[in-house]
Amino acid sequence: MIFGRKRPPAGQALPPVTQSVTVKGKGNTTIQAGGDAVVLPQALEPVAEVDAPPGLRNLPARPGVFVGRTTELARLDAVLSGPVPTGGVVVQAVHGLGGIGKSTLVTHWAATRPHGCAPVWWITADSPAAVEQGLADLAVAVQPLLARVLPAEQLAERGAQWLSTHTGWLLILDNVTRPGDVAAVTDRVTVRGGRVVITSRAATGWRTAAVIRLDVLTPGQSLELLTGIVTAAGPRDLDGAVDLCAELGQLPLAVEQAAAYLAQNPLTTPRTYRELLARYPAQMFGEGGVDTATGRSIARVWSVTLDRITVTHPAAVEVLRVLAWYAPDAIPVTLLAGVADPPALDAAIGILAAYSMITTDPVTATVSLHRLVQAVARTPDPTGTDPHRAPDAVDRARDHATTTLYTAIPDTIDNPADWPAWRNLLPHIEALTTYTRLDTDTRTTATLLHNTARFLNDQGRPDQAIPLFERTLTDRVRVLGDDHPGTLTSRNNLAGAYYAAGDLGRAIPLYERTLTDQVRVLGDDHPATLTSRNNLAYAYESAGDLGRAIPLYERTLTDRARVLGDDHPATLTSRNNLAGAYQAAGDLGRAIPLYERTLTDTVRVLGPGHPHTASVRANLAVAIARLESKPSP
């Protein structure tokens, strides 16, 4: 059965619900830790009394050349450098097309202007999950040891509480998809006051936020940007630069990429580069809400740049295709293992960075790349004219990314030491899930998503686990068939996630079908069949149907004792669960002796300090207390 669920009032089933400590203070915090419940002293501090480390900021690296934007910088100064209203925050939203330079503007402002904010915290906020992760990262940055104690949801809550109880900070929510994705954050942190800057393609829906619309560069600014990058190492022939900037639509990202190509190829002029764009036009690209002109410009630059890169670094294109299947930010270089041998891989990363196709962070050993570059790289060219997007190459990169992610995930889901690794990989697994299709999923895909769903469900996030379990089940039915043990396991775990989400209407029928199929395929005595029977009894009990739960618990206990032995942990679990069902039915005369026997056996088999032992002891204490509180006849 899946552990960590809430028991009915009558008692708890084994294994136990995760231990917890509620900390009283200005902001109550419940700390959960599996196993021995190691609670660090700093986790007990009221969050209002925790100061951020001096100089805390996580801004992205500033670009080497920044041009224009004087009006927008002044507007940011005017709104964000003034006094904070009593009981509120100052919110500034910067919106515009993808690749327009929103993030560059805000990074430059936050790093160079005298706003006086501290700390400065940057969150890539392109989904609710990313916002939650960013708040969790803030909590860890303020108190690093919390990463070993709190699950992701509680870390995020701790981060939000810190903002709500402090002032003077600057929070940057970058690349917000929908205003509603961050409304809960901006509404929540108005208790003490601070400053929030939002960047987004969305132009409306920002309510009380002051809004800055960011447009393309002027022709003069585009020329200045291109010239500054190309001539950084010395004078160059800039013939055709004005026309090239116009061809690129004055879009900052496209201008920067073209300039990087020119800087790496001294014999190529802007006019020659424009001719190459005409010879190698990329297809219009519109997925993900990308503006057509923006997609065309970036796709053209991508194709021409990779033509040159492949001459000396053929592995670089394969690296880019693999990177395209992950989340765009903070991709661990370990997720590129096996794309090429180490020297070739290092050279590929270096050349991609040199051409501004990716950015690298040597401190965290991660790379990032623009979402539009990813989108082009993972989309097969339907015309067959783009050698960098050949269907077989794109498929190979997808499968490599899937296998690498599967290899990288931890072996366990309930060990706190593994939680940071899981959290680092979750955005990339989520991206792979979004970018791939059911008809391209493999057995590796199904196993990756299944294990990830188990972790999310164990972390108390069944709403995120259910779609992955559903997709895994669909995959396994298609690839393995209805009766394969892996398919039956997926069906059982999906039922468990429905149960964890409180949806007994879907959980019970699925548990019933799974049990029927497992009896038919595996037999009555198979351990998986016994587990399904126990889970179904547990669901019946939770639904208040003790008339069906108790006989099923009794049969499961009898069968487990016969098949597994009296001292097997699963048998002890069944005995505890049956005692809990008796207690729920008000039959303390049968519940208490069964609890007592279970406690004796659990102490002997698992030890007096085992969490399961503690759970049985607590259940017995509750049952005895209820018996003693009964009025005498």
Side-chain angles (χ1 to χ4, degrees):
M1 66 188 300
I2 298 177
F3 304 134
R5 303 171 183 156
K6 292 183 178 179
R7 287 284 303 162
Q12 294 178 332
L14 282 175
V17 173
T18 303
Q19 299 177 20
S20 66
V21 176
T22 299
V23 181
K24 303 295 184 181
K26 295 181 180 179
N28 290 348
T29 301
T30 299
I31 301 166
Q32 294 188 343
D36 296 330
V38 178
V39 180
L40 300 176
Q42 67 168 249
L44 301 176
E45 297 181 61
V47 68
E49 299 176 10
V50 177
D51 293 329
L56 177 61
R57 60 167 51 190
N58 67 336
L59 290 174
R62 291 168 53 203
V65 178
F66 181 87
V67 301
R69 307 305 196 192
T70 55
T71 300
E72 293 83 1
L73 289 170
R75 290 188 61 187
L76 284 169
D77 283 340
V79 174
L80 293 167
S81 296
V84 178
T86 302
V89 294
V90 174
V91 181
Q92 179 79 67
V94 180
H95 77 85
L97 298 176
I100 210 71
K102 303 179 294 296
S103 301
T104 298
L105 170 71
V106 174
T107 300
H108 181 81
W109 178 84
T112 64
R113 310 292 271 205
H115 50 72
C117 298
V120 178
W121 194 252
W122 183 287
I123 295 178
T124 300
D126 55 355
S127 69
V131 175
E132 178 177 297
Q133 183 65 50
L135 291 172
D137 291 343
L138 172 61
V140 172
V142 173
Q143 294 178 282
L145 292 179
L146 294 185
R148 298 295 301 272
V149 180
L150 300 182
E153 184 179 11
Q154 292 186 16
L155 282 174
E157 172 64 19
R158 184 85 170 180
Q161 287 182 8
W162 192 93
L163 293 171
S164 298
T165 54
H166 293 75
T167 190
W169 42 260
L170 172 63
L171 176 66
I172 300 168
L173 301 172
D174 183 50
N175 199 38
V176 175
T177 303
R178 295 176 298 272
D181 290 348
V182 296
V185 176
T186 56
D187 291 345
R188 173 77 181 276
V189 299
T190 59
V191 176
R192 289 289 297 276
R195 291 167 170 83
V196 179
V197 180
I198 297 167
T199 73
S200 177
R201 296 179 189 177
T204 59
W206 298 113
R207 299 194 299 182
T208 60
V211 177
I212 293 177
R213 180 180 183 273
L214 204 59
D215 208 339
V216 295
L217 297 172
T218 66
Q221 291 167 349
S222 293
L223 181 61
E224 181 184 355
L225 178 59
L226 185 138
T227 302
I229 297 173
V230 173
T231 63
R236 287 284 301 275
D237 181 358
L238 295 176
D239 177 51
V242 172
D243 291 338
L244 174 59
C245 289
E247 177 71 14
L248 296 174
Q250 322 297 348
L251 189 69
L253 179 59
V255 173
E256 289 169 3
Q257 288 181 326
Y261 180 92
L262 293 170
Q264 289 291 317
N265 296 276
L267 299 181
T268 302
T269 67
R271 187 170 303 281
T272 304
Y273 187 85
R274 188 182 177 208
E275 292 170 358
L276 290 173
L277 288 176
R279 290 174 55 194
Y280 300 97
Q283 291 191 333
M284 301 281 287
F285 191 84
E287 288 186 12
V290 176
D291 177 80
T292 301
T294 302
R296 184 197 303 119
S297 297
I298 293 176
R300 286 179 176 178
V301 172
W302 179 85
S303 181
V304 172
T305 300
L306 290 189
D307 283 342
R308 179 57 63 92
I309 290 176
T310 52
V311 174
T312 54
H313 297 81
V317 183
E318 185 68 17
V319 167
L320 194 66
R321 280 193 291 259
V322 172
L323 288 173
W325 296 98
Y326 302 133
D329 300 312
I331 305 170
V333 293
T334 52
L335 292 183
L336 293 171
V339 177
D341 59 67
L345 181 58
D346 287 345
I349 292 173
I351 196 67
L352 287 170
Y355 278 84
S356 296
M357 300 297 288
I358 66 172
T359 59
T360 60
D361 187 338
V363 176
T364 60
T366 61
V367 301
S368 302
L369 67 164
H370 197 279
R371 289 161 179 78
L372 296 182
V373 175
Q374 286 186 303
V376 174
R378 66 174 176 266
T379 303
D381 176 22
T383 68
T385 58
D386 188 344
H388 310 303
R389 295 190 290 145
D392 60 336
V394 173
D395 289 345
R396 183 174 64 250
R398 179 198 62 236
D399 291 343
H400 185 95
T402 302
T403 300
T404 305
L405 273 174
Y406 171 69
T407 303
I409 60 174
D411 292 331
T412 65
I413 64 171
D414 54 0
N415 183 355
D418 288 334
W419 292 353
W422 270 111
R423 293 174 190 138
N424 288 336
L425 292 173
L426 280 176
H428 306 296
I429 298 170
E430 179 184 0
L432 180 75
T433 306
T434 301
Y435 301 150
T436 54
R437 307 185 312 271
L438 280 170
D439 61 353
T440 62
D441 284 355
T442 64
R443 293 181 69 168
T444 302
T445 310
T447 305
L448 169 66
L449 300 186
H450 180 262
N451 290 348
T452 303
R454 290 178 60 233
F455 172 75
L456 290 169
N457 201 51
D458 192 68
Q459 290 274 300
R461 296 153 73 177
D463 56 321
Q464 293 175 272
I466 285 171
L468 297 184
F469 274 136
E470 289 174 336
R471 178 163 171 174
T472 299
L473 178 57
T474 301
D475 282 343
R476 286 182 166 170
V477 168
R478 176 177 56 85
V479 175
L480 304 176
D482 271 314
D483 291 343
H484 191 277
T487 304
L488 300 177
T489 297
S490 288
R491 190 172 288 122
N492 174 77
N493 288 349
L494 173 58
Y498 288 151
Y499 177 94
D503 192 348
L504 293 175
R506 287 198 290 179
I508 290 176
L510 199 56
Y511 272 141
E512 290 172 335
R513 177 184 173 185
T514 302
L515 177 58
T516 299
D517 290 345
Q518 285 179 325
V519 168
R520 175 174 53 80
V521 175
L522 303 175
D524 275 312
D525 291 343
H526 193 279
T529 304
L530 299 177
T531 296
S532 286
R533 187 173 290 121
N534 178 77
N535 289 351
L536 178 57
Y538 191 88
Y540 285 154
E541 180 185 358
S542 298
D545 191 350
L546 295 174
R548 287 198 290 180
I550 289 176
L552 207 54
Y553 273 139
E554 291 172 335
R555 178 180 176 185
T556 304
L557 174 58
T558 299
D559 291 345
R560 277 180 165 171
R562 175 175 52 81
V563 175
L564 303 176
D566 279 320
D567 291 343
H568 192 279
T571 305
L572 300 178
T573 295
S574 283
R575 190 173 291 123
N576 175 79
N577 291 352
L578 177 57
Y582 287 154
Q583 181 181 343
D587 191 349
L588 296 176
R590 286 198 292 178
I592 291 176
L594 199 54
Y595 274 140
E596 290 173 336
R597 177 185 172 186
T598 304
L599 179 59
T600 299
D601 292 344
T602 304
V603 169
R604 176 173 50 81
V605 175
L606 301 178
H610 195 279
H612 297 186
T613 305
S615 182
V616 177
R617 186 178 290 115
N619 289 344
L620 174 59
V622 170
I624 292 174
R626 289 190 178 182
L627 180 64
E628 292 175 347
S629 66
K630 279 188 172 184
S632 300

